[in-house]
Amino acid sequence: MTDQPGADKPATLDALRQLIISASVRLTPRMRDAARYALDHPNELALSPVATVAASAGMSAAAFIRLAKALGFDGYAQLQHLFREPLRAALKPTFSERIRHVGGEQALDNPDDPAALLRAFSQANIVSLEHLQAEAGALPLRAAISLIQNARIVHVLGLRRSYAVAAYLSYALNRIGQPAVLISGLGGAIAEQASVVNAQDLLIAISFPPYAADTLAICDLVRQSGAKRLAITNAGLSPVAKDADLVLEVNDAELKGFRSLTSAMCLVQSLVMGLAFSKRHELTKKRTKKSGSAAAASVPDLKNIDC
């Protein structure tokens, strides 16, 4: 990491993101907070002066300025230019509402028309899925499937907006014969549910901004048990990703705090089916060595899996 403006500064948002992740340990805590906010709110960085961004983030403007210089920029204005470039052609700041997604922002011309809202959200989700499709090769999917397959029990945690993804993942894993437990926090017993996780288990923690405080607390608790942890979240700098054994990044369209979950669902479906095919492949290898129906019973026929 350099403090000299202009030295080795990233030329694209992807390069900036990778630089921040790889050098996060060298940033001060406030600069890491500023970096996390910048990556979570790229369009705000592109369109707003540093004082406005700092006020929205609940931080000082100096944190963003120091971050810019630590990343090789002359100052905030040059960093802002990098965030602004992808939006320059398409962004029209007069729209009253926008749906955020990984490709920028989707204009919502008439937010009072449900059909218009559906069309705009559908288009934003298409862009998010296309991004997920394009980035699939860079995601550590095989490693994630291996973590799941080698776990005694998979404990799945996702609260608030992430609950639907966690509930589905827990259900689907059990459907393909992989023992899984949903940590739901029902009755306020979330700590008690997490206390049974041991070093042979895996915790899959799913969370997106604003991150659920209970999810972060359980991640800290499980870390002490020695269990491995897979984080499904929006960025490598997410607090859920901290100290995780593996991180899968996924982003969905969002409008005023409502996250669509389309890409997140697609990702966990792919994990489940990838695991099912991996189990079937292992079963085939076993059958070549010896015959027997016991092993076959452990993996359901993929044609009959209702996932």
Side-chain angles (χ1 to χ4, degrees):
M1 178 64 65
T2 177
D3 292 325
Q4 298 299 319
D8 300 325
K9 66 176 181 292
T12 66
L13 282 182
D14 284 342
L16 174 68
R17 174 176 164 278
Q18 291 303 320
L19 175 61
I20 290 174
I21 293 173
S22 64
S24 63
V25 294
R26 303 182 190 178
L27 299 174
T28 66
R30 296 308 286 169
M31 282 195 285
R32 283 198 295 271
D33 290 341
R36 186 180 299 121
Y37 188 86
L39 294 178
D40 287 345
H41 304 83
N43 298 322
E44 186 174 343
L45 265 287
L47 300 171
S48 303
V50 65
T52 302
V53 173
S56 298
M59 302 169 58
S60 69
F64 289 92
I65 296 172
R66 286 196 293 268
L67 171 67
K69 291 183 177 180
L71 295 175
F73 296 93
D74 295 332
Y76 177 81
Q78 196 174 66
L79 175 64
Q80 183 183 48
H81 178 79
L82 186 63
F83 280 89
R84 183 175 293 171
E85 194 60 33
L87 304 180
R88 189 176 298 277
L91 187 62
K92 297 180 180 179
T94 56
F95 291 134
S96 59
E97 302 288 355
R98 300 184 183 94
I99 299 176
R100 293 178 175 178
H101 55 87
V102 291
E105 291 189 344
Q106 174 72 27
L108 186 58
D109 296 303
N110 185 5
D112 295 325
D113 180 1
L117 177 62
L118 176 58
R119 284 191 290 269
F121 238 125
S122 297
Q123 181 58 38
N125 274 301
I126 289 171
V127 174
S128 297
L129 283 170
E130 288 176 342
H131 176 80
L132 180 64
Q133 182 184 46
E135 295 295 317
L139 292 173
L141 298 174
R142 289 188 183 277
I145 290 171
S146 179
L147 276 178
I148 297 171
Q149 190 166 3
N150 292 328
R152 179 184 70 101
I153 297 176
V154 178
H155 302 264
V156 187
L157 172 63
L159 304 175
R160 300 196 309 213
R161 72 172 74 184
S162 303
Y163 179 80
V165 182
Y168 169 79
L169 178 56
S170 174
Y171 159 79
L173 287 174
N174 281 301
R175 287 289 296 162
I176 64 168
Q178 184 69 35
V181 175
L182 177 65
I183 299 177
S184 64
L186 186 64
I190 190 168
E192 289 77 9
Q193 289 177 333
S195 66
V196 301
V197 182
N198 67 32
Q200 296 177 316
D201 297 344
L202 171 70
L203 173 69
I204 300 180
I206 307 169
S207 191
F208 304 96
Y211 309 100
D214 282 342
T215 298
L216 302 181
I218 294 304
C219 286
D220 288 335
L221 178 64
V222 168
R223 186 181 302 116
Q224 300 171 18
S225 74
K228 293 189 178 298
R229 188 157 59 85
L230 168 63
I232 298 178
T233 186
N234 63 302
L237 279 179
S238 158
V240 183
K242 181 181 178 182
D243 297 327
D245 293 275
L246 201 65
V247 180
L248 292 176
E249 296 181 33
V250 61
N251 280 280
D252 275 293
E254 184 176 354
L255 173 64
K256 290 190 176 297
F258 287 91
R259 183 177 294 273
S260 71
L261 301 178
T262 303
S263 294
M265 281 291 193
C266 183
L267 175 63
V268 299
Q269 283 178 322
S270 300
L271 288 177
V272 171
M273 292 309 298
L275 178 59
F277 284 117
S278 178
K279 283 175 172 285
R280 189 174 71 174
H281 178 69
E282 285 195 358
L283 177 61
T284 301
K285 288 171 60 177
K286 288 180 180 179
R287 282 175 172 171
T288 61
K289 295 181 179 180
K290 61 178 181 179
S291 61
S293 59
S298 64
V299 182
D301 186 344
L302 295 182
K303 295 185 294 184
N304 298 321
I305 295 179
D306 178 22
C307 290

